[in-house]
Amino acid sequence: MPKIFKNPAEMIAARNEWLGSGLTIGFVPTMGALHEGHEALIKQARSDNKIVVLSIFVNPTQFNQKEDFEKYPNTLENDIKIAESLGVDAVFTPQYHDIYPDNYRYVLAENEFSKKLCGKDRPGHFDGVLTIVMKLFNIVKPCKAYFGEKDFQQLELIKGMVSAFFMDLEIIPVAIVRESDGLAKSSRNVRLNADGRALAPKIYQIISNSKNTDLASEELTKAGFVVDYVTDIGNRRFVAVKTKLTHDGGEVRLIDNVKI
Ligand code: AMP
């Protein structure tokens, strides 16, 4: 059974003990509702480090839509079982007031890439991400931290933050884990109804096979998605779409990216 730490003071005491004994700490930050994508990060962390810390915190400051935050799945008991089965040493599950004693008065912002792609559709999203990740890094003090390429823009911004602030840890990218039909695994996929789930693999198929972003965008629209963006940057194609084919009729936003 992993140790469960509910507040920063407990987590800090444990990490001081581990670091004092010369143990390396690998860290996997998540918002819970764990699936095989998260599991890939945890497995990598398990094989690279003496100690593995998993955090589960649905970070309100990175949600720009109340509905998205309120409908975000919460499966903590099952998550802890998964953590146990993968040999996680500690699960850190703070509450808002523990981790934001400043009530988000202090914000870590990036002013270029964070305004593009998902940042355009979700103002303030990456400020919330960078701020929580900085807080978690300061609490856990990992040697290595693991992030999925599923959230490629997030991964790039976190690498940039670590470099800009001379932070003493390594960011390890982990490849996207997909369903057998190509859909990128995501905690939000459970919100899709049967029609939405049948449609969703088209995101990956279309961005992988279209000749250019305009055609991809057209095909996604024809398939029934509302397209936020399809953009090529370097050798990668990024996409974000929305659909209302959900169990509750609310909107869900899905992202993906592929090498081109
Ligand atoms: P989340 O819980 O959605 O904040 O994700 C936590 C971490 O898991 C992030 O680093 C994500 O990029 C990563 N992740 C989520 N889904 C996948 C996936 N399908 N493949 C690889 N990594 C993923």
Side-chain angles (χ1 to χ4, degrees):
M1 187 72 178
K3 293 194 167 93
I4 312 286
F5 298 122
K6 295 197 166 169
N7 64 62
E10 293 169 356
M11 186 66 244
I12 288 168
R15 71 118 215 262
N16 280 342
E17 216 176 295
W18 291 322
L19 292 176
S21 317
L23 301 175
T24 56
I25 301 177
F27 178 43
V28 181
T30 78
M31 299 205 296
L34 300 185
H35 51 68
E36 285 96 333
H38 301 111
E39 289 177 18
L41 273 61
I42 296 170
K43 284 177 190 163
Q44 186 65 48
R46 184 64 286 166
S47 81
D48 294 351
N49 303 276
K50 286 276 184 223
I51 298 290
V52 175
V53 177
L54 170 77
S55 68
I56 297 177
F57 178 62
V58 184
N59 174 37
T61 68
Q62 73 187 71
F63 285 83
N64 54 312
Q65 283 197 327
K66 211 171 155 222
E67 185 196 358
D68 189 26
F69 176 62
E70 282 166 357
K71 293 192 173 156
Y72 203 82
N74 176 336
T75 58
L76 185 60
E77 243 176 72
N78 192 53
D79 291 350
I80 291 171
K81 279 189 198 142
I82 293 173
E84 181 174 19
S85 74
L86 296 176
V88 168
D89 297 284
V91 179
F92 180 44
T93 59
Q95 297 291 311
Y96 177 81
H97 57 270
D98 292 322
I99 201 115
Y100 286 103
D102 60 326
N103 203 16
Y104 202 43
R105 274 203 304 136
Y106 289 87
V107 179
L108 207 154
E110 190 272 356
N111 287 319
E112 285 180 28
F113 192 39
S114 73
K115 309 288 183 200
K116 299 182 174 148
L117 302 177
C118 285
K120 236 187 199 167
D121 302 312
R122 305 184 69 191
H125 167 65
F126 288 114
D127 293 356
V129 169
L130 293 177
T131 304
I132 188 66
V133 170
M134 174 67 94
K135 284 171 184 270
L136 291 169
F137 282 176
N138 286 335
I139 293 166
V140 177
K141 283 205 183 158
C143 313
K144 294 187 165 126
Y146 297 79
F147 291 87
E149 290 186 342
K150 159 93 188 335
D151 302 277
F152 202 89
Q153 187 178 12
Q154 167 176 287
L155 168 67
E156 286 302 302
L157 285 164
I158 287 164
K159 278 195 212 157
M161 174 181 83
V162 165
S163 153
F165 290 94
F166 306 97
M167 296 169 74
D168 191 13
L169 82 162
E170 209 181 321
I171 301 301
I172 312 288
V174 177
I176 302 178
V177 178
R178 299 181 179 281
E179 304 285 354
S180 54
D181 57 18
L183 174 64
K185 297 213 181 225
S186 163
S187 304
R188 288 186 178 88
N189 291 350
V190 297
R191 291 200 47 213
L192 296 166
N193 64 20
D195 289 341
R197 180 60 190 80
L199 185 66
K202 290 229 157 104
I203 302 167
Y204 175 62
Q205 289 158 19
I206 290 172
I207 61 164
S208 302
N209 298 323
S210 295
K211 287 220 173 77
N212 60 50
T213 55
D214 285 347
L215 287 172
S217 181
E218 222 171 85
E219 284 177 55
L220 285 161
T221 307
K222 256 193 220 154
F225 295 106
V226 173
V227 177
D228 273 346
Y229 64 79
V230 184
T231 307
D232 291 349
I233 300 181
N235 67 347
R236 213 164 262 275
R237 178 166 294 166
F238 297 86
V239 64
V241 298
K242 288 180 183 141
T243 174
K244 285 190 174 167
L245 295 174
T246 55
H247 293 296
D248 56 19
E251 194 172 63
V252 69
R253 187 173 180 280
L254 302 172
I255 61 169
D256 201 347
N257 68 85
V258 292
K259 254 193 190 158
I260 46 169

